[in-house]
Amino acid sequence: QLSASPLASTVQFGASDPANFVGGFATLSLVDRYNDWWTLSLTNTYFGSTSVMTSAVAYAILSTGQSMIYLAKTDFKNFQQMIQDAGPNSRANIVCRTVLYEYCFSSLPCSNFTSELQPLTIRLENTNFVIPPAGYLLENTMNHQCVIAVSYISDGREMYILGETFLRNFYAVFDYTTNKVQLAVNANAPVGTKIHTVKSGWVIFAYTMAATLALLIMCIGTFCFITRCCCRKKISERAK
């Protein structure tokens, strides 16, 4: 557990500590792509409800050795534009600069932007990992009052790097025996951090068809019941 608060980070072997996470776990399977890292299937990335993903990158690695979230460069440029267009404070006071890696920052405290910026959502497999602005803004770091802890790597690397900025918001269990990763909301994560599974189009279609079929069966059953009652009534009247 990387701490999302002044509390110390923790490492635990052989078990998970319920005191350090909220809700249940989302279980993700490793993909056989980059064997040196914990590599997961990447589906999409959103700023608010708008996708920033126009690259063809399909993988994300979890890394405690990197401080930020690193998107593919094409996607980062989209994210950067949305950040700077988020509102008047963001437009006037957030600047982006290339040093070693490009990132965005401001000379104003992060509290000036939390109400304007949107959550950053990383979709792994069919599960959304939602990080509110307070979860990806860093206060008083790198000689700036506020840093947006999202940067980029080349599209040619064919991966995102989900570093400490991501892992601070989620409690992670790395299971070597099953080659799976489990993620839950960190108990110390900012309000608005959440995990939810997105049903695929086929699942929604199956549910819709099942509901339609059930309704049809009910209608047929009702019709047959009414018809049978009417027939019995007519037979009874004739018998009289």
Side-chain angles (χ1 to χ4, degrees):
Q1 178 197 34
L2 288 178
S3 180
S5 73
L7 301 174
S9 300
T10 61
V11 176
Q12 187 169 354
F13 296 96
S16 57
D17 186 349
N20 289 327
F21 61 89
V22 178
F25 282 103
T27 301
L28 305 168
S29 299
L30 299 185
V31 295
D32 187 18
R33 176 65 177 183
Y34 301 105
N35 294 327
D36 292 336
W37 296 294
W38 292 83
T39 308
L40 304 171
S41 176
L42 174 70
T43 310
N44 214 328
T45 307
Y46 299 89
F47 181 69
S49 59
T50 304
S51 175
V52 305
M53 196 171 195
T54 54
S55 74
V57 173
Y59 306 100
I61 67 168
L62 299 177
S63 174
T64 57
Q66 300 290 338
S67 59
M68 295 188 179
I69 294 173
Y70 296 89
L71 311 180
K73 185 174 182 178
T74 299
D75 302 337
F76 173 77
K77 292 298 182 182
N78 298 331
F79 172 77
Q80 174 187 310
Q81 189 61 53
M82 293 179 193
I83 285 285
Q84 292 182 302
D85 291 342
N89 271 342
S90 303
R91 193 173 299 112
N93 298 294
I94 291 179
V95 295
C96 299
R97 175 186 300 170
T98 299
V99 185
L100 177 58
Y101 289 104
E102 186 169 319
Y103 60 94
C104 302
F105 61 90
S106 178
S107 58
L108 299 179
C110 292
S111 58
N112 286 270
F113 309 107
T114 51
S115 62
E116 287 188 349
L117 299 178
Q118 298 294 316
L120 174 63
T121 299
I122 308 291
R123 182 177 295 178
L124 302 172
E125 294 182 10
N126 64 336
T127 302
N128 283 346
F129 295 87
V130 183
I131 305 173
Y136 61 81
L137 299 178
L138 297 180
E139 200 87 53
N140 295 320
T141 187
M142 299 170 72
N143 299 317
H144 305 297
Q145 281 279 1
C146 184
V147 168
I148 298 170
V150 181
S151 187
Y152 72 85
I153 58 174
S154 165
D155 288 22
R157 296 285 299 277
E158 299 182 336
M159 68 168 77
Y160 281 16
I161 301 176
L162 306 181
E164 293 178 5
T165 299
F166 180 86
L167 291 169
R168 270 197 303 272
N169 291 280
F170 302 103
Y171 182 93
V173 176
F174 300 93
D175 192 335
Y176 283 90
T177 60
T178 62
N179 285 328
K180 294 183 185 296
V181 173
Q182 291 182 304
L183 295 170
V185 174
N186 190 325
N188 300 311
V191 175
T193 306
K194 54 189 177 181
I195 298 172
H196 64 88
T197 300
V198 180
K199 291 183 173 64
S200 70
W202 283 109
V203 172
I204 294 172
F205 176 76
Y207 282 147
T208 303
M209 290 301 295
T212 302
L213 181 60
L215 181 61
L216 180 61
I217 292 171
M218 289 177 60
C219 291
I220 292 173
T222 303
F223 175 77
C224 291
F225 176 78
I226 294 173
T227 302
R228 183 177 299 175
C229 288
C230 290
C231 289
R232 286 179 179 176
K233 183 177 181 182
K234 288 180 181 179
I235 291 171
S236 178
E237 289 175 350
R238 287 175 183 174
K240 292 179 180 178

